Amino acid sequence: MSAEQTTAAQPLQHKVPEPGDARWREAWHRIVSGTWAVSLGAVILAILVGSIMIAATDEGVRAAIGYFGSRPSDTFSAVGKAVGGAYAALFRGAVWDFHASTFATAIRPLTNSLTQATPLIAAGLGVAVGFRAGQFNIGGRGQMLMAAIAGGWIGSALNLPPVIHMLVAIGVLKATTGAHEVIVTIMLNYIAFYILGYLLATPGLLQAPGSSNPKTAAMHPNAIMPPLLGPKFTLHWGFIFALAAVALTWWLLERSKLGFEFRAVGENPAAARVAGIDVKRTTVAVMLVAGGLVGLAGVTQVLGTTTTGFGDGIDAGVGFDAITVALLGRSTPFGVLGAAILFGAFRAGGATMQAAVGVPIEIVQVVQALIVLFIAAPPLVRAVFRLPQPGSGPRRTTSAEVAA
């Protein structure tokens, strides 16, 4: 090899990832882009483990276990009653109230689930866009809070025409963004939280005039997202904005040049750089898009769900639940939509399950956490359900092998 060739080859040597980095990137890629069978298996396993916990906390089951040796059928009956009653109550509080006397009352649980899913859709899309580009954006809480600050101030302090007022409040979220490093996004969450706390506790800023409570004034009627199905239901136009975000994100990732650059950087930054993609610029663009989508979740909370004024709990855990939604949805827009509706149903039906059969609402949170656990362990899910490993299909015989 000549000296010129050696010199030309040297810069490429610095771009080769370390073995540890390659293994981590491969493991992370399998987690965020696995098959739908793994996602479904993770949900099933989580529900099964949740069923065991429901049975273990039920007084009737514990009493029947005391004489299991003499009458085992009583134990099995008690387990079926406890688990079946719990999930029936969850369904009744999240999808359809079969005890209701009118259609409007029966369908209300579904609209509540969609209302709960609205911010999860937008925030999940923001996290998913980062995942597709190889960025682990866990600053959703901070991005939601900063968007809530901007949208809440415009919604309560200004007085604009109805449609213009709402659109201006939503447009401010374009300024929200987050860094791509994990540690920095965690720190920004706390910064945003304490900024909001200061603004809520300081008269003349976000605190409601004439009040000493850390809460904003009510949103101006012109800025509020109108109900989607009428005043009897909580579902508002934020759900339509979330669906539009799903369609726009799908087009961005699957049909646009910018989306191709996102995916190329997520697959292999070094190869993307060699192909002429500006990785730094693309990373900034990814976080801008992700921050804007997560910010939409904050604005829908402020202008659609909590319109009478909000405090420092406005994010309601959506920022972190969005990570689970993105993982379960396999970082695809329509997958995120389905996962967000599922988690919205968990949120809406959990209270009914607790009130109807006395199952602790924390069981629902445990089920959600177990979904994350099983999603992060795809080999375990494949082993339980005997799913094929990636790339384990029939091996093609090459022409060279045939000739040999």
Side-chain angles (χ1 to χ4, degrees):
M1 181 181 291
S2 64
E4 291 81 7
Q5 291 174 329
T6 304
T7 305
Q10 287 179 351
L12 295 178
Q13 295 175 358
H14 298 286
K15 298 179 182 180
V16 177
E18 296 293 331
D21 294 338
R23 287 194 298 266
W24 165 250
R25 179 174 294 277
E26 180 182 0
W28 176 244
H29 184 265
R30 288 189 178 186
I31 291 173
V32 301
S33 59
T35 64
W36 290 108
V38 173
S39 295
L40 180 60
V43 174
I44 293 174
L45 287 177
I47 291 177
L48 289 176
V49 176
S51 301
I52 295 174
M53 298 181 64
I54 291 172
T57 57
D58 186 76
E59 294 183 0
V61 174
R62 292 200 299 267
I65 289 178
Y67 56 92
F68 178 82
S70 59
R71 296 175 60 183
S73 60
D74 286 4
T75 301
F76 294 127
S77 177
V79 170
K81 181 179 179 181
V83 175
Y87 286 124
L90 181 66
F91 181 86
R92 184 160 55 88
V95 181
W96 182 269
D97 186 359
F98 40 79
H99 292 163
S101 57
T102 64
F103 175 80
T105 306
I107 203 67
R108 184 174 290 120
L110 178 60
T111 64
N112 292 339
S113 295
L114 296 179
T115 302
Q116 295 285 348
T118 296
L120 288 171
I121 294 171
L125 288 173
V127 176
V129 167
F131 285 170
R132 294 289 292 274
Q135 306 298 323
F136 194 13
N137 175 24
I138 59 174
R141 186 189 187 196
Q143 293 158 16
M144 277 192 65
L145 293 179
M146 295 305 293
I149 290 172
W153 179 78
I154 292 175
S156 61
L158 302 183
N159 184 11
L160 301 175
V163 177
I164 296 177
H165 199 156
M166 182 180 64
L167 293 179
V168 169
I170 294 176
V172 173
L173 63 87
K174 288 185 177 292
T176 62
T177 183
H180 63 283
E181 292 86 356
V182 172
I183 299 301
V184 174
T185 52
I186 293 176
M187 295 172 64
L188 288 175
N189 286 338
Y190 286 101
I191 291 173
F193 176 78
Y194 287 115
I195 288 176
L196 177 60
Y198 170 76
L199 295 175
L200 291 174
T202 305
L205 296 179
L206 271 183
Q207 189 180 75
S211 173
S212 59
N213 296 325
K215 184 179 178 180
T216 69
M219 300 298 104
H220 196 279
N222 290 345
I224 295 175
M225 296 179 180
L228 189 59
L229 301 176
K232 293 183 179 180
F233 300 95
T234 59
L235 190 63
H236 51 77
W237 269 82
F239 182 67
I240 300 299
F241 288 126
L243 293 181
V246 170
L248 181 61
T249 304
W250 176 85
W251 176 85
L252 173 69
L253 291 176
E254 305 297 337
R255 292 293 184 268
S256 71
K257 177 178 178 292
L258 182 61
F260 172 78
E261 293 178 352
F262 286 2
R263 292 183 282 114
V265 171
E267 290 288 340
N268 192 322
R273 188 180 295 109
V274 172
I277 297 175
D278 189 337
V279 175
K280 291 184 178 180
R281 179 187 62 81
T282 302
T283 299
V284 172
V286 167
M287 298 311 296
L288 284 171
V289 173
L293 289 169
V294 180
L296 175 62
V299 174
T300 58
Q301 286 285 85
V302 171
L303 303 182
T305 304
T306 310
T307 60
T308 58
F310 63 90
D312 55 12
I314 185 62
D315 71 294
V318 171
F320 288 109
D321 285 349
I323 300 174
T324 309
V325 168
L327 289 173
L328 183 61
R330 291 304 171 193
S331 302
T332 63
F334 294 107
V336 167
L337 173 62
I341 293 176
L342 174 64
F343 274 66
F346 283 155
R347 284 172 168 250
T352 302
M353 186 174 69
Q354 184 179 35
V357 294
V359 175
I361 196 172
E362 288 77 14
I363 295 292
V364 174
Q365 298 173 355
V366 171
V367 170
Q368 295 177 3
L370 288 170
I371 290 175
V372 180
L373 176 63
F374 292 127
I375 283 290
L380 174 62
V381 178
R382 291 192 180 98
V384 171
F385 293 100
R386 299 181 180 274
L387 300 175
Q389 295 291 332
S392 62
R395 182 174 177 268
R396 293 185 177 180
T397 303
T398 64
S399 58
E401 293 173 331
V402 173

